[in-house]
Amino acid sequence: MASLVTLDQVKVHFAVRKMLFSTQTVRAVDGVSLSLDAGETVSVVGESGSGKTTLGRASLRLAPITEGSLSFDGQDITSVREGKLQWFRRRAQAVFQDPYSSIDPFMDIQQILEEPLQIHNIGDRTDRVHQALEDVRLSPAGEIAEKYPHMLSGGQRQRVGIARALILQPEYILADEPVSMIDASSRTEILYLMRDLQDRMGIAFLYITHDIATARYFSDRIAVMYLGRVVEQGIPGEVLDEPLHPYTKALIAAVPEADPNNRLHDRPSVPGETPSPTNVPTGCNFHSRCPQFMAGQCDVVDPMLVQVRPGRWVACHLYVETKDGYVGTRDAYVETEADTEDSK
Ligand code: SF4
């Protein structure tokens, strides 16, 4: 059975003006394949500049796909004219980072939630608006519907943003940093709400976040992005507890530790700066920051994303093909053993 959303070797490249007569190419997404099944949540994590937001926007055809393809429910929609995409726009929705900027401050909540219904010519609007507000636990729905966005808290506004995405009963929602601009107490509530909606309504979510810790609670799979590429992919328990790629290890080490007793074992955060996406390093694009860099290989040969075991993928020369499949080289094991020793 076809996946609900399939991105196949997708590239999103932009031309930016460098000087008066020259341009540079920004390789925001540089050959990513990712799929989501119905009802599945995939988290895409990475530092700012990793391309995760652009990838999410490409999955909704909101960023232009330079190469590769996007399919939804088995239909290739990479080049379909916008006028012929109304069915897709109804079935695929988005929740963005800043709830205040993504809703019109001059409309009341009733009008904000009715707008998509009008666009798609759907009736029973008041009932549907009230139901959507109940679904995101904003009640009493009748009172909330009469308010304006500035009369709500940040957490309530984000619930309105989710209600607006839900009102067309979509099968797929892009959730792009949906909790990064709201207070910590509302953050957990919103994540649990989205998890609950996924369980009850079977919606597939692509959850874009720089906060790798929240991905654990909201994902069936995690894809780690660096400089436009997926460098590791797997189920959350494996990726977060036994990271394979040096970048994933550094990203996890950079998560602040709440327990002061564990701070002694914190490892350093990701070293150095992310290179410019207009000047991507040769070979492995992480080589200029990698503590396990191997000269003559990592700076020359671009590592492929390979399956090291079922459902577990990594792009790194520390994992090599043998007759039994892909295994970690001695260097990969040495680091794992050293980490184990450190944590004792
Ligand atoms: Fe580091 Fe080389 Fe692996 Fe890239 S391929 S992550 S530089 S060890």
Side-chain angles (χ1 to χ4, degrees):
M1 198 175 75
S3 295
L4 183 66
V5 182
T6 307
L7 295 137
D8 186 17
Q9 286 301 311
V10 163
K11 294 185 180 179
V12 181
H13 293 179
F14 303 101
V16 289
R17 192 175 292 282
K18 188 181 167 200
M19 283 181 288
L20 199 53
F21 297 110
S22 69
T23 57
Q24 285 184 321
T25 301
V26 176
R27 291 153 66 172
V29 176
D30 207 17
V32 170
S33 295
L34 196 68
S35 61
L36 282 90
D37 291 336
E40 186 186 30
T41 293
V42 175
S43 291
V44 179
V45 302
E47 295 170 291
S48 117
S50 60
K52 57 191 187 303
T53 286
T54 308
L55 179 73
R57 293 179 70 83
S59 77
L60 283 180
R61 272 270 313 258
L62 299 177
I65 295 172
T66 318
E67 260 184 65
S69 68
L70 167 66
S71 301
F72 188 83
D73 200 11
Q75 295 191 54
D76 188 333
I77 55 168
T78 321
S79 316
V80 176
R81 276 193 301 116
E82 185 59 39
K84 301 241 176 203
L85 277 183
Q86 215 180 8
W87 65 271
F88 170 67
R89 296 281 170 231
R90 183 168 169 170
R91 293 170 67 183
Q93 293 287 311
V95 177
F96 291 112
Q97 182 175 24
D98 180 359
Y100 210 42
S101 71
S102 56
I103 53 183
D104 187 333
F106 300 107
M107 287 182 172
D108 64 26
I109 305 305
Q110 177 79 28
Q111 291 170 313
I112 288 167
L113 297 184
E114 272 194 12
E115 199 178 33
L117 298 172
Q118 286 167 352
I119 292 168
H120 290 274
N121 207 17
I122 296 170
D124 295 332
R125 289 177 197 155
T126 301
D127 286 351
R128 283 175 184 262
V129 167
H130 287 191
Q131 183 59 53
L133 289 170
E134 301 282 352
D135 285 340
V136 297
R137 301 191 202 121
L138 281 174
S139 59
E143 277 180 32
I144 297 283
E146 291 174 6
K147 292 182 187 275
Y148 284 82
H150 71 271
M151 300 162 82
L152 304 178
S153 68
Q156 288 177 316
R157 280 197 292 269
Q158 192 55 293
R159 284 170 195 265
V160 170
I162 296 170
R164 189 178 152 97
L166 285 179
I167 203 148
L168 294 172
Q169 300 177 326
E171 292 147 71
Y172 167 56
I173 292 181
L174 164 67
D176 185 2
E177 303 271 16
V179 293
S180 63
M181 291 189 69
I182 54 181
D183 60 85
S185 60
S186 304
R187 206 170 290 164
T188 317
E189 287 175 17
I190 296 284
L191 286 173
Y192 278 123
L193 171 68
M194 291 199 300
R195 184 91 231 186
D196 178 52
L197 292 170
Q198 185 205 31
D199 290 344
R200 281 193 288 129
M201 301 178 181
I203 300 166
F205 277 91
L206 186 63
Y207 175 52
I208 308 289
T209 182
H210 67 278
D211 183 357
I212 198 167
T214 61
R216 181 191 293 274
Y217 301 103
F218 190 55
S219 320
D220 299 303
R221 269 185 297 137
I222 292 181
V224 182
M225 271 190 86
Y226 181 74
L227 214 51
R229 299 269 183 92
V230 170
V231 296
E232 181 161 2
Q233 202 185 128
I235 60 172
E238 290 190 355
V239 172
L240 300 180
D241 297 334
E242 299 166 44
L244 300 177
H245 196 283
Y247 175 63
T248 315
K249 291 181 185 183
L251 207 57
I252 291 168
V255 175
E257 179 55 67
D259 179 355
N261 295 324
N262 283 338
R263 282 193 188 136
L264 288 174
H265 305 302
D266 277 358
R267 287 170 288 182
S269 60
V270 189
E273 299 274 315
T274 308
S276 166
T278 60
N279 190 20
V280 175
T282 56
C284 169
N285 63 9
F286 187 56
H287 86 247
S288 58
R289 304 172 75 188
C290 182
Q292 290 175 274
F293 167 69
M294 296 173 282
Q297 187 176 14
C298 297
D299 51 347
V300 176
V301 183
D302 188 0
M304 306 269 295
L305 188 67
V306 294
Q307 187 166 212
V308 289
R309 50 181 182 265
R312 197 71 201 284
W313 298 76
V314 68
C316 173
H317 291 310
L318 293 171
Y319 300 87
V320 294
E321 190 169 18
T322 68
K323 65 180 173 43
D324 299 321
Y326 280 89
V327 296
T329 63
R330 189 172 176 281
D331 283 347
Y333 289 130
V334 165
E335 222 247 348
T336 306
E337 284 162 11
D339 291 346
T340 311
E341 283 300 314
D342 282 352
S343 63
K344 281 180 186 167

